[in-house]
Amino acid sequence: MTRAIELALLGGGHVHPNPCVGAVIVKDGLILAEGYHHKCGDLHAERDALKNAKEKNIDVAGCDMYVTLEPCCHTGKQPPCTQAIIESKIKRVFIGSRDPNPLVDGKGVKQLEEAGIEVIRDFEKEECDKINSIFFHYIKTKMPYVIAKYAMTADGKTSLSTGESKWITGEEAREDVHKTRGTTAAIMCGINTVLADDPLLNCRVEGEQYKQPVRVILDRELKLSIKSRIAQTAREYKTILFCAKEDASKKAELEKCGIEIIEAKAKEGHLDLEDVLKTLGEKQIDSVLVESGGMLNASLFFAEEKCLVNEVHCYVASKITGGKENEIHSPVQGKECKSLSDCVKMKLIETKVLGDDVLLKFKTC
């Protein structure tokens, strides 16, 4: 199953909005064939492994299969994997995660068992569940899984008083951010950050598991310049801009650059972030990495109905900058909870040392 998990992760950013899945076929303790879901629309992991076995002239009858997620039992872009497993005469199937998709959700296991195949459920379930947090959230809510990413100094500052923020963290930490970009469906940024930094917001690491994210810009008044790097590269990298009120001439200019403009609901003079996320979900964007300033982060953490952030990636640099009296450059600012009992509670799920910097990953409770 450890190998199946490694294979599943190779699907990376290409499988959205499908899950990452790996499969391994074993006999007498030896791996005979393996496969994974390469990208949305391609063979599922189980069929990929069976195809690879066939190409090697391997008879898998009586073998075991280890698969990270319950095999599908319905026809979508691919035929059901349960059918292929049954026809191949696999003897036992070890399943890691259960599939919450209503089209599967126990039905896959039932079909295998009715065909006389022994099924071992929840095998290394915790590790298998980790690789599909995005899929599980999206299939249940139809909303993107939101990751808030920010970098700060050891004394909690996101920039100097001059606004300088390049670079708070070192090269290893920045490379790690690009890997996250490459495995997330979209990257979101507010217009003030775009105007200040003129970012490209793309993935700049190589690897078969990495894909360019859709760029999402929140620009209530259509302030984005057609000379910006975002606009100039919109035909190369898919870009969606949300605004509150369309200016016909400016909209036409930006659309000519290749940017998709969507008018979103407004709430108290700002874009309704829940409406934005619902719209992205309808476009099958299952995950969003937010790289923006403290104001947008605060609006997501302290949204009116509920916290809209699912996970936090906090990069802490081995630097102390200090600051002027009463000056704040916080990764979350503009809104706050009324008491500590009302704060956004989180659970630490991972720590990683990146050169002299540290990445802290949290899940919101």
Side-chain angles (χ1 to χ4, degrees), residues 143 242 263-266 272-280:
M143 295 267 285
F242 285 91
E263 185 172 351
K265 295 177 184 177
D272 184 331
L273 294 176
E274 189 163 1
D275 182 56
V276 167
L277 293 173
K278 284 181 179 178
T279 301
L280 292 175

Side-chain angles (χ1 to χ4, degrees), residues 97 125-134 136 349 363:
S97 298
K125 182 180 186 299
E126 186 176 347
E127 292 304 310
C128 290
D129 284 353
K130 285 180 183 178
I131 65 177
N132 278 313
S133 295
I134 288 172
F136 295 150
I349 57 171
K363 274 195 177 182

Side-chain angles (χ1 to χ4, degrees), residues 98-288:
R98 304 192 184 202
D99 192 339
N101 186 339
L103 295 173
V104 186
D105 196 13
K107 299 181 184 72
V109 169
K110 184 179 179 181
Q111 279 192 14
L112 294 176
E113 289 180 331
E114 287 178 347
I117 296 173
E118 182 184 354
V119 177
I120 294 85
R121 302 168 177 80
D122 302 331
F123 191 82
E124 300 293 334
K125 182 180 186 299
E126 186 176 347
E127 292 304 310
C128 290
D129 284 353
K130 285 180 183 178
I131 65 177
N132 278 313
S133 295
I134 288 172
F135 172 73
F136 295 150
H137 174 80
Y138 179 69
I139 203 70
K140 291 175 183 176
T141 68
K142 302 303 179 187
M143 295 267 285
Y145 187 89
V146 177
I147 303 170
K149 168 264 166 184
Y150 51 82
M152 64 182 190
T153 60
D155 55 339
K157 303 293 172 42
T158 56
S159 72
L160 299 178
S161 58
T162 60
E164 181 184 353
S165 60
K166 293 184 179 180
W167 296 103
I168 283 178
T169 53
E171 187 174 334
E172 289 183 43
R174 298 199 300 274
E175 181 178 345
D176 189 73
V177 172
H178 281 279
K179 289 179 179 178
T180 303
R181 288 183 179 184
T183 53
T184 309
I187 179 170
M188 180 186 288
C189 193
I191 186 59
N192 290 335
T193 298
V194 174
L195 295 176
D197 299 339
D198 193 23
L200 198 53
L201 299 180
N202 65 344
C203 171
R204 295 191 284 275
V205 291
E206 296 181 356
E208 63 179 295
Q209 68 268 49
Y210 303 121
K211 181 183 178 183
Q212 291 299 336
V214 175
R215 302 181 302 186
V216 178
I217 310 301
L218 304 183
D219 183 6
R220 186 168 60 93
E221 299 175 351
L222 287 178
K223 293 180 179 179
L224 182 69
S225 168
I226 60 171
K227 295 181 180 179
S228 65
R229 294 208 292 171
I230 292 290
Q232 291 297 308
T233 58
R235 296 200 180 279
E236 183 179 358
Y237 307 114
K238 181 174 175 59
T239 305
I240 300 172
L241 185 149
F242 285 91
C243 63
K245 187 168 66 174
E246 295 180 359
D247 176 319
S249 60
K250 184 63 179 290
K251 178 189 175 186
E253 285 184 348
L254 293 172
E255 287 179 332
K256 192 174 181 180
C257 293
I259 298 174
E260 180 181 356
I261 310 292
I262 298 176
E263 185 172 351
K265 295 177 184 177
K267 184 182 289 186
E268 298 178 356
H270 300 282
L271 291 177
D272 184 331
L273 294 176
E274 189 163 1
D275 182 56
V276 167
L277 293 173
K278 284 181 179 178
T279 301
L280 292 175
E282 290 166 0
K283 289 180 169 291
Q284 294 196 316
I285 292 175
D286 63 1
S287 51
V288 174

Side-chain angles (χ1 to χ4, degrees), residues 8-20:
L9 292 172
L10 294 178
H14 297 279
V15 301
H16 301 294
N18 287 352
C20 293

